[in-house]
Amino acid sequence: MRKNLLFSLFALLIGGILMVGCSDEKVSNSEEKEEKATPAEQKKVSNEPESEPQKDENGNVVLTEVGHKAKDEDGTTIELLKIKDVNQNVSIAPIKLTIKNIKVIQMTNVSKTWEEFLLQYTNGTKLPEKLNYIQVIYTAENTEEKNIGWNGIQKIVTNTGEQLDASGNDIIWEENGFDGTFYGKTKHEGTIGVITKANPNELKNVKLIIGNTFNPDSYDDITPEQQTQFDF
């Protein structure tokens, strides 16, 4: 049936050519003017990012566009697979938490040094050739003068069924890490990274389980645990 359909289409095309050929004289005697074709808008078809990654004030490469890559001196390479620019506030009174962005990053050609470090977060098993992790960048600010305790971002739950320990399995080392207490009206800028076994193409959303705030002297809760979800 498909061959018959193709043959019919081919026949129609041939018929159209023949019809034009028979009416050449009529067309040539027509006073109608042929419109001049204009150039079509053309864009390069590519999966490559449109720009190069930039560096921050400390010289670190910042991946902001899917496809951006960075390579360490030891050969370890990271590539941005997904990004969700959030810039939304979550109230855990008196703490104001702002989720800046959420990324899915892939590590390849992991060096021996990095491998030894990361193995402690994979139960000591061999690292995969492509190791993926979810990264969350945020700021948290105490809006009051009194000291406030906060348990941070506790879990990352994915639509693929993973419940990741963002508190105990954070692979991002911060020089000025948060110790769990805001001493007065202070602000903390933080980054967490948690290894995921999920197929990046199947990651559609993540749910953040955000720890409670409490009085650091009595340990009484102020605001209970919160949760919020973001789609890629």
Side-chain angles (χ1 to χ4, degrees):
M1 181 176 179
R2 183 171 179 176
K3 287 184 177 180
N4 291 336
L5 179 60
L6 290 173
F7 179 80
S8 300
L9 291 172
F10 185 72
L12 285 172
L13 290 171
I14 293 296
I17 292 171
L18 290 175
M19 289 176 65
V20 171
C22 294
S23 57
D24 278 346
E25 183 177 354
K26 183 176 181 181
V27 172
S28 62
N29 292 331
S30 172
E31 295 181 357
E32 295 181 3
K33 295 182 180 179
E34 182 179 357
E35 293 186 6
K36 187 177 181 180
T38 57
E41 181 181 358
Q42 294 176 253
K43 292 184 178 180
K44 183 179 179 181
V45 179
S46 173
N47 293 323
E48 295 296 320
E50 295 183 359
S51 64
E52 293 294 324
Q54 303 298 311
K55 292 185 178 181
D56 63 15
E57 57 186 10
N58 298 316
N60 300 314
V61 176
V62 181
L63 309 181
T64 58
E65 187 180 335
V66 172
H68 274 173
K69 295 181 181 180
K71 190 173 183 179
D72 204 348
E73 292 179 356
D74 60 11
T76 302
T77 302
I78 60 173
E79 178 180 357
L80 181 60
L81 301 183
K82 285 179 181 285
I83 182 171
K84 172 68 175 181
D85 287 318
V86 180
N87 289 321
Q88 293 183 11
N89 297 326
V90 181
S91 178
I92 321 161
I95 303 301
K96 183 176 74 172
L97 173 68
T98 302
I99 305 298
K100 290 189 172 182
N101 59 55
I102 303 173
K103 300 176 182 180
V104 180
I105 298 174
Q106 185 171 91
M107 297 181 69
T108 54
N109 298 321
V110 179
S111 68
K112 192 65 177 178
T113 302
W114 267 106
E115 182 179 10
E116 292 175 357
F117 170 75
L118 293 170
L119 280 175
Q120 62 185 309
Y121 300 98
T122 59
N123 298 320
T125 59
K126 184 179 179 181
L127 295 182
E129 291 185 7
K130 297 179 179 180
L131 185 144
N132 304 317
Y133 65 94
I134 298 171
Q135 176 183 285
V136 180
I137 297 179
Y138 68 92
T139 61
E141 180 179 3
N142 182 10
T143 60
E144 296 185 358
E145 294 292 346
K146 63 182 180 181
N147 297 344
I148 297 295
W150 178 51
N151 281 323
I153 298 174
Q154 294 288 293
K155 307 285 184 184
I156 297 177
V157 181
T158 70
N159 66 288
T160 59
E162 285 186 299
Q163 181 169 299
L164 307 172
D165 185 357
S167 177
N169 288 331
D170 181 8
I171 66 173
I172 306 296
W173 180 81
E174 294 180 305
E175 184 176 358
N176 299 312
F178 179 63
D179 65 0
T181 303
F182 289 92
Y183 297 96
K185 206 170 185 178
T186 54
K187 184 177 182 179
H188 171 67
E189 297 183 2
T191 303
I192 58 175
V194 185
I195 295 172
T196 175
K197 295 181 180 178
N199 182 334
N201 294 327
E202 296 176 356
L203 278 173
K204 305 301 181 184
N205 61 66
V206 294
K207 185 186 297 180
L208 304 183
I209 309 301
I210 302 162
N212 61 304
T213 54
F214 58 91
N215 184 320
D217 296 321
S218 64
Y219 293 99
D220 293 334
D221 285 354
I222 299 175
T223 300
E225 186 177 83
Q226 305 289 308
Q227 60 177 293
T228 183
Q229 179 175 304
F230 300 102
D231 298 330
F232 282 111

